[in-house]
């Protein structure tokens, strides 16, 4: 999926390793920019503030000194992991669906759209009861593929190899 540039959504319980898989996916995609985690539950409920955080704000005659590039501007060429995408407010889902579909975004106060070169990787907590209302259009554009990440208790054959791997990483001199 990474070589084809698919947008993926990792689903699983809290602590299943979705964040690490998203980082790995970013590297496998060959993105040259940075990887940034963004917790969707931290997006302001205030629509204006949330859109400024995502898309930025251009200088305007009313606010000539105000400029903020927003997440999309700051991470061009990179990836943004939308952590717990189920907590994303509806206004943000609609705006991001448009941006993902057309590969452009428009900062607040801008006169023209700008080209968007950001890979979005979404994660969804399957055991969370808050939020989880994803608009169908947004869901269509945020994920080309969904990858379910099982909890370790469902992969008991992996416990011993993982334990041996992590034990090998420990600096034994620190513990002697």
């Amino acid at each position: 999926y990474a070589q084809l540039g698919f947008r993926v959504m990792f689903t699983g319980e809290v602590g299943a390793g979705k964040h690490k898989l998203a980082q790995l996916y970013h590297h496998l995609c060959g993105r040259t920019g940075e990887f940034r985690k963004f917790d969707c539950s931290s997006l302001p409920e205030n629509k204006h503030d949330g859109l400024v955080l995502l898309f930025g704000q251009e200088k305007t005659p009313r606010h000539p000194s105000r400029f903020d590039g927003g997440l999309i501007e700051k991470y061009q060429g990179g990836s943004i992991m939308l952590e717990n995408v189920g907590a994303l407010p509806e206004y943000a889902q609609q705006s991001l669906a448009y941006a993902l579909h057309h590969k452009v975004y428009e900062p607040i106060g801008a006169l023209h759209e700008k080209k968007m070169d950001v890979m979005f990787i979404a994660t969804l907590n399957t055991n969370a009861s808050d939020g989880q209302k994803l608009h169908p259009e947004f869901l269509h554009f945020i994920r080309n593929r969904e990858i379910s990440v099982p909890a370790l208790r469902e992969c008991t054959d992996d416990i011993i190899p993982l334990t041996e791997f992590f034990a090998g990483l420990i600096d034994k001199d620190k513990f002697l």
Side-chain angles (χ1 to χ4, degrees):
Y1 298 148
Q3 292 174 351
L4 296 173
F6 285 168
R7 285 184 299 274
V8 297
M9 178 185 295
F10 294 104
T11 60
E13 295 181 15
V14 172
K18 299 180 296 294
H19 181 195
K20 290 295 181 190
L21 288 173
Q23 284 180 308
L24 177 63
Y25 194 80
H26 162 76
H27 293 292
L28 292 173
C29 285
R31 305 292 296 169
T32 57
E34 293 180 56
F35 174 85
R36 167 72 152 89
K37 176 188 80 127
F38 178 74
D39 183 358
C40 293
S41 65
S42 70
L43 193 67
E45 286 296 323
N46 177 296
K47 182 178 180 178
H48 179 269
D49 293 345
L51 292 177
V52 168
L53 180 64
L54 290 172
F55 300 107
Q57 181 169 355
E58 294 288 326
K59 295 178 184 180
T60 63
R62 190 171 179 193
H63 301 287
S65 63
R66 184 181 293 172
F67 172 76
D68 180 13
L71 284 173
I72 292 174
E73 178 94 13
K74 292 175 185 173
Y75 293 95
Q76 287 288 325
S79 300
I80 299 173
M81 180 188 91
L82 297 174
E83 182 178 40
N84 192 17
V85 73
L88 203 60
E90 187 174 341
Y91 74 83
Q93 291 183 39
Q94 291 171 346
S95 298
L96 281 172
Y98 179 87
L100 290 165
H101 178 65
H102 298 285
K103 296 181 175 62
V104 295
Y105 69 103
E106 188 172 333
I108 303 294
L111 299 176
H112 304 286
E113 295 175 328
K114 295 182 176 185
K115 187 176 189 285
M116 184 173 72
D117 179 25
V118 174
M119 167 65 78
F120 282 93
I121 304 167
T123 68
L124 184 66
N125 297 330
T126 55
N127 58 344
S129 59
D130 58 310
Q132 307 291 338
K133 294 181 182 175
L134 294 173
H135 191 274
E137 184 181 10
F138 173 68
L139 194 55
H140 172 75
F141 291 116
I142 195 64
R143 62 145 197 224
N144 297 117
R145 298 290 184 266
E146 185 172 318
I147 300 172
S148 179
V149 182
L152 187 57
R153 71 176 170 279
E154 297 171 16
C155 308
T156 55
D157 291 344
D158 294 336
I159 293 174
I160 302 256
L162 284 170
T163 304
E164 291 170 347
F165 171 77
F166 288 116
L169 295 178
I170 295 174
D171 186 359
K172 294 178 180 120
D173 293 336
K174 291 181 181 177
F175 296 100
L176 295 178

